[in-house]
Amino acid sequence: MNKSQYSEAYRISQLLAKFLAKTITTEEEAELNGWRNRNENNRLLFEEICNAETQKERNQFIQQINVTHAWEQTQKRLSAPTKKNRNLFIYGSIAATIALLISFPLLFQTPEVKNEETSFSQIVPGSSKAMLITSYGQKITLSSIDEKEQAIQLKNGTKITSDGKKITYFQATDSLTPIKIDTIRIPRGGEFTLILPDKTTVWLNSETEISFPTRFDKDKRVVSLKGEAFFSVAKDSTAPFIVKTTNNLTVKVLGTKFNVQAYTDENTIETTLNEGSVLVSNGQQSIQLKPNQQAVYHTTNRTLNSREVNADYISSWREGKFIFENETLESIMNKLSRWYDIRLFYANESVKNFHFTGDLERYDDFNEVLKMLEKATNIHFNINGKNVIISKTHQ
């Protein structure tokens, strides 16, 4: 199925949804009838969806499809459908998409301020929140609701404090204290700051997990990371600081400032150096970075290379901004989806490769963020709840 067929599937889905909502125009209905009469598959799908006598029957049809799963399968099959499954794929694409659109009736009603406010009110910027999971299985919720700094005594004897935005670990004075591994998880729409026992500061971005010892060894300091974090490492020439990510990638430093982006659903792991020097290695290749350089590890072919970047742009998220320099819309929306905790659906695959340069305020109203992107690129956003449908605008 090529891109033009995919676009047609989405267009027909729009017309079907408008037909059901009784907002379809005469011209649009003629277009829909032309598609319906083209072949038997189209006619059967039309009848199955539109001839349901009640909203209950229509909802049952939607529930049988499983919107999220169907949409994911549609996107996977888009890459290389065979001739054998071509007609079935077109049918499945429309079924998945119409299920999605019928589920969002507000998209096809006459715009009203009330509906827009209702949709956008569910999408808010992230805030300080995290879950601390200790080596003993304790689970402690950390949130900006707790504004006063509190001392917390963990079961393993470790002393920590938290003010709802930052958690501080204190180095044990007794070298015989057993070393345990604690974990902090940041949900989608969250952020938090961690002060490690050696006074290294770690800014943790949304959907991130870091595991670290409650007491560092004398000869090394090792942490494990999934997601994105900015490190300001306390200098210690006798104990290198090592960040381990997935795919056996390591970042080794003595004292420096750098950003690591290592999300498990991305195809690359990016280490960006702001100050000092770091050594990035995958076990077979190593790269020594200088400030304003970025090491990019491609997880698919396991290659490691470097490039020149503006490091301040990469780590701008910790200072309340998103700064993009010729970045793809797909990459931008992935960042926004984690911060605003939204779900993304692409009506046109081609828009993923649109590029954008500019900056957005991290705590801005989501509506303003989308308006900025719409002005700068040839795209349009439809919103319902936490679901965002991204489509190419017609010129």
mmCIF file of all heavy atoms in Angstrom, residues 327 329 332 351 354-357 370-381 391 393 395:
data_model
loop_
_atom_site.group_PDB
_atom_site.id
_atom_site.type_symbol
_atom_site.label_atom_id
_atom_site.label_comp_id
_atom_site.label_asym_id
_atom_site.label_seq_id
_atom_site.Cartn_x
_atom_site.Cartn_y
_atom_site.Cartn_z
ATOM 1 N N GLU A 327 15.235 19.729 13.443
ATOM 2 C CA GLU A 327 14.872 18.420 13.990
ATOM 3 C C GLU A 327 13.579 17.929 13.347
ATOM 4 O O GLU A 327 12.698 18.716 13.006
ATOM 5 C CB GLU A 327 14.706 18.522 15.504
ATOM 6 C CG GLU A 327 14.631 17.187 16.204
ATOM 7 C CD GLU A 327 14.894 17.309 17.700
ATOM 8 O OE1 GLU A 327 15.476 18.320 18.128
ATOM 9 O OE2 GLU A 327 14.519 16.379 18.441
ATOM 10 N N LEU A 329 9.877 16.296 12.820
ATOM 11 C CA LEU A 329 8.638 16.420 13.593
ATOM 12 C C LEU A 329 8.431 15.178 14.458
ATOM 13 O O LEU A 329 7.954 15.281 15.590
ATOM 14 C CB LEU A 329 7.450 16.605 12.646
ATOM 15 C CG LEU A 329 6.096 16.768 13.337
ATOM 16 C CD1 LEU A 329 6.042 18.075 14.118
ATOM 17 C CD2 LEU A 329 4.955 16.712 12.325
ATOM 18 N N ILE A 332 10.484 15.581 17.558
ATOM 19 C CA ILE A 332 9.907 16.635 18.403
ATOM 20 C C ILE A 332 8.665 16.127 19.117
ATOM 21 O O ILE A 332 8.501 16.316 20.331
ATOM 22 C CB ILE A 332 9.562 17.874 17.547
ATOM 23 C CG1 ILE A 332 10.846 18.537 17.052
ATOM 24 C CG2 ILE A 332 8.712 18.865 18.336
ATOM 25 C CD1 ILE A 332 10.607 19.603 15.998
ATOM 26 N N VAL A 351 4.591 13.309 7.243
ATOM 27 C CA VAL A 351 4.812 14.470 8.103
ATOM 28 C C VAL A 351 5.870 14.198 9.163
ATOM 29 O O VAL A 351 6.450 15.141 9.716
ATOM 30 C CB VAL A 351 3.501 14.929 8.791
ATOM 31 C CG1 VAL A 351 2.442 15.249 7.763
ATOM 32 C CG2 VAL A 351 3.003 13.893 9.784
ATOM 33 N N PHE A 354 9.037 16.033 8.369
ATOM 34 C CA PHE A 354 9.091 17.495 8.312
ATOM 35 C C PHE A 354 10.110 17.969 9.346
ATOM 36 O O PHE A 354 10.241 17.382 10.421
ATOM 37 C CB PHE A 354 7.726 18.097 8.617
ATOM 38 C CG PHE A 354 6.716 17.928 7.513
ATOM 39 C CD1 PHE A 354 7.007 17.216 6.359
ATOM 40 C CD2 PHE A 354 5.456 18.492 7.619
ATOM 41 C CE1 PHE A 354 6.076 17.065 5.344
ATOM 42 C CE2 PHE A 354 4.510 18.356 6.607
ATOM 43 C CZ PHE A 354 4.835 17.626 5.472
ATOM 44 N N HIS A 355 10.805 19.066 9.049
ATOM 45 C CA HIS A 355 11.828 19.579 9.965
ATOM 46 C C HIS A 355 11.408 20.928 10.554
ATOM 47 O O HIS A 355 10.684 21.693 9.924
ATOM 48 C CB HIS A 355 13.172 19.715 9.244
ATOM 49 C CG HIS A 355 13.845 18.401 9.006
ATOM 50 N ND1 HIS A 355 13.377 17.483 8.076
ATOM 51 C CD2 HIS A 355 14.943 17.826 9.580
ATOM 52 C CE1 HIS A 355 14.158 16.410 8.083
ATOM 53 N NE2 HIS A 355 15.113 16.602 8.983
ATOM 54 N N PHE A 356 11.876 21.164 11.753
ATOM 55 C CA PHE A 356 11.491 22.367 12.484
ATOM 56 C C PHE A 356 12.690 22.921 13.229
ATOM 57 O O PHE A 356 13.468 22.179 13.837
ATOM 58 C CB PHE A 356 10.369 22.029 13.478
ATOM 59 C CG PHE A 356 9.963 23.170 14.379
ATOM 60 C CD1 PHE A 356 9.065 24.130 13.938
ATOM 61 C CD2 PHE A 356 10.474 23.274 15.662
ATOM 62 C CE1 PHE A 356 8.686 25.173 14.765
ATOM 63 C CE2 PHE A 356 10.101 24.320 16.501
ATOM 64 C CZ PHE A 356 9.198 25.271 16.041
ATOM 65 N N THR A 357 12.855 24.238 13.181
ATOM 66 C CA THR A 357 13.876 24.934 13.956
ATOM 67 C C THR A 357 13.189 26.017 14.777
ATOM 68 O O THR A 357 12.436 26.828 14.227
ATOM 69 C CB THR A 357 14.947 25.569 13.050
ATOM 70 O OG1 THR A 357 15.651 24.527 12.355
ATOM 71 C CG2 THR A 357 15.950 26.374 13.870
ATOM 72 N N LEU A 370 1.179 23.717 20.015
ATOM 73 C CA LEU A 370 0.719 23.194 18.733
ATOM 74 C C LEU A 370 0.513 24.311 17.718
ATOM 75 O O LEU A 370 0.801 24.139 16.528
ATOM 76 C CB LEU A 370 -0.576 22.402 18.918
ATOM 77 C CG LEU A 370 -0.480 21.140 19.777
ATOM 78 C CD1 LEU A 370 -1.745 20.307 19.630
ATOM 79 C CD2 LEU A 370 0.733 20.307 19.407
ATOM 80 N N LYS A 371 0.013 25.450 18.171
ATOM 81 C CA LYS A 371 -0.164 26.586 17.258
ATOM 82 C C LYS A 371 1.166 27.012 16.662
ATOM 83 O O LYS A 371 1.262 27.346 15.482
ATOM 84 C CB LYS A 371 -0.814 27.761 18.003
ATOM 85 C CG LYS A 371 -2.305 27.596 18.256
ATOM 86 C CD LYS A 371 -2.868 28.814 18.988
ATOM 87 C CE LYS A 371 -4.360 28.657 19.250
ATOM 88 N NZ LYS A 371 -4.908 29.810 19.992
ATOM 89 N N MET A 372 2.210 27.001 17.482
ATOM 90 C CA MET A 372 3.537 27.370 17.020
ATOM 91 C C MET A 372 4.026 26.403 15.946
ATOM 92 O O MET A 372 4.557 26.811 14.911
ATOM 93 C CB MET A 372 4.512 27.377 18.195
ATOM 94 C CG MET A 372 5.927 27.766 17.833
ATOM 95 S SD MET A 372 6.141 29.528 17.570
ATOM 96 C CE MET A 372 6.022 30.113 19.272
ATOM 97 N N LEU A 373 3.810 25.111 16.172
ATOM 98 C CA LEU A 373 4.247 24.110 15.197
ATOM 99 C C LEU A 373 3.430 24.199 13.908
ATOM 100 O O LEU A 373 3.965 24.015 12.816
ATOM 101 C CB LEU A 373 4.125 22.709 15.806
ATOM 102 C CG LEU A 373 5.138 22.369 16.906
ATOM 103 C CD1 LEU A 373 4.771 21.043 17.557
ATOM 104 C CD2 LEU A 373 6.547 22.300 16.343
ATOM 105 N N GLU A 374 2.130 24.467 14.035
ATOM 106 C CA GLU A 374 1.288 24.587 12.846
ATOM 107 C C GLU A 374 1.688 25.772 11.980
ATOM 108 O O GLU A 374 1.640 25.709 10.752
ATOM 109 C CB GLU A 374 -0.184 24.702 13.257
ATOM 110 C CG GLU A 374 -0.788 23.386 13.723
ATOM 111 C CD GLU A 374 -2.276 23.501 14.019
ATOM 112 O OE1 GLU A 374 -2.734 24.623 14.327
ATOM 113 O OE2 GLU A 374 -2.972 22.484 13.959
ATOM 114 N N LYS A 375 2.098 26.855 12.624
ATOM 115 C CA LYS A 375 2.527 28.038 11.870
ATOM 116 C C LYS A 375 3.829 27.784 11.125
ATOM 117 O O LYS A 375 4.061 28.326 10.044
ATOM 118 C CB LYS A 375 2.702 29.226 12.824
ATOM 119 C CG LYS A 375 1.402 29.802 13.353
ATOM 120 C CD LYS A 375 1.675 30.958 14.312
ATOM 121 C CE LYS A 375 0.378 31.526 14.860
ATOM 122 N NZ LYS A 375 0.623 32.628 15.833
ATOM 123 N N ALA A 376 4.698 26.964 11.722
ATOM 124 C CA ALA A 376 6.038 26.758 11.157
ATOM 125 C C ALA A 376 6.092 25.606 10.159
ATOM 126 O O ALA A 376 6.999 25.556 9.327
ATOM 127 C CB ALA A 376 7.036 26.508 12.280
ATOM 128 N N THR A 377 5.148 24.687 10.227
ATOM 129 C CA THR A 377 5.173 23.517 9.352
ATOM 130 C C THR A 377 3.800 23.288 8.738
ATOM 131 O O THR A 377 2.791 23.789 9.222
ATOM 132 C CB THR A 377 5.584 22.248 10.139
ATOM 133 O OG1 THR A 377 4.718 22.102 11.273
ATOM 134 C CG2 THR A 377 7.017 22.348 10.626
ATOM 135 N N ASN A 378 3.771 22.490 7.680
ATOM 136 C CA ASN A 378 2.540 22.247 6.928
ATOM 137 C C ASN A 378 1.741 21.090 7.544
ATOM 138 O O ASN A 378 1.512 20.061 6.919
ATOM 139 C CB ASN A 378 2.912 21.927 5.473
ATOM 140 C CG ASN A 378 1.687 21.849 4.584
ATOM 141 O OD1 ASN A 378 0.668 22.479 4.846
ATOM 142 N ND2 ASN A 378 1.788 21.061 3.532
ATOM 143 N N ILE A 379 1.314 21.286 8.812
ATOM 144 C CA ILE A 379 0.622 20.217 9.523
ATOM 145 C C ILE A 379 -0.575 20.777 10.289
ATOM 146 O O ILE A 379 -0.681 21.989 10.508
ATOM 147 C CB ILE A 379 1.540 19.490 10.523
ATOM 148 C CG1 ILE A 379 2.171 20.498 11.494
ATOM 149 C CG2 ILE A 379 2.595 18.683 9.814
ATOM 150 C CD1 ILE A 379 2.969 19.869 12.600
ATOM 151 N N HIS A 380 -1.445 19.856 10.689
ATOM 152 C CA HIS A 380 -2.610 20.231 11.495
ATOM 153 C C HIS A 380 -2.801 19.179 12.581
ATOM 154 O O HIS A 380 -2.570 17.987 12.368
ATOM 155 C CB HIS A 380 -3.868 20.312 10.634
ATOM 156 C CG HIS A 380 -5.104 20.625 11.424
ATOM 157 N ND1 HIS A 380 -5.302 21.835 12.060
ATOM 158 C CD2 HIS A 380 -6.201 19.863 11.695
ATOM 159 C CE1 HIS A 380 -6.460 21.810 12.693
ATOM 160 N NE2 HIS A 380 -7.018 20.642 12.481
ATOM 161 N N PHE A 381 -3.215 19.633 13.756
ATOM 162 C CA PHE A 381 -3.439 18.735 14.895
ATOM 163 C C PHE A 381 -4.925 18.683 15.232
ATOM 164 O O PHE A 381 -5.583 19.718 15.322
ATOM 165 C CB PHE A 381 -2.678 19.225 16.131
ATOM 166 C CG PHE A 381 -1.184 19.248 15.971
ATOM 167 C CD1 PHE A 381 -0.539 20.413 15.591
ATOM 168 C CD2 PHE A 381 -0.431 18.112 16.197
ATOM 169 C CE1 PHE A 381 0.835 20.445 15.443
ATOM 170 C CE2 PHE A 381 0.943 18.132 16.055
ATOM 171 C CZ PHE A 381 1.579 19.300 15.677
ATOM 172 N N SER A 391 -1.885 15.445 10.942
ATOM 173 C CA SER A 391 -2.125 15.268 9.512
ATOM 174 C C SER A 391 -1.494 16.404 8.718
ATOM 175 O O SER A 391 -1.208 17.480 9.260
ATOM 176 C CB SER A 391 -3.627 15.200 9.210
ATOM 177 O OG SER A 391 -4.274 16.365 9.693
ATOM 178 N N THR A 393 -1.621 19.371 6.102
ATOM 179 C CA THR A 393 -2.642 20.318 5.643
ATOM 180 C C THR A 393 -2.673 20.346 4.130
ATOM 181 O O THR A 393 -1.651 20.132 3.463
ATOM 182 C CB THR A 393 -2.363 21.735 6.179
ATOM 183 O OG1 THR A 393 -1.055 22.130 5.770
ATOM 184 C CG2 THR A 393 -2.445 21.765 7.696
ATOM 185 N N GLN A 395 -2.954 22.230 0.624
ATOM 186 C CA GLN A 395 -2.621 23.557 0.104
ATOM 187 C C GLN A 395 -3.364 23.818 -1.193
ATOM 188 O O GLN A 395 -3.702 22.902 -1.911
ATOM 189 C CB GLN A 395 -1.111 23.668 -0.115
ATOM 190 C CG GLN A 395 -0.322 23.635 1.191
ATOM 191 C CD GLN A 395 1.162 23.813 0.944
ATOM 192 O OE1 GLN A 395 1.707 23.367 -0.048
ATOM 193 N NE2 GLN A 395 1.827 24.493 1.869
#
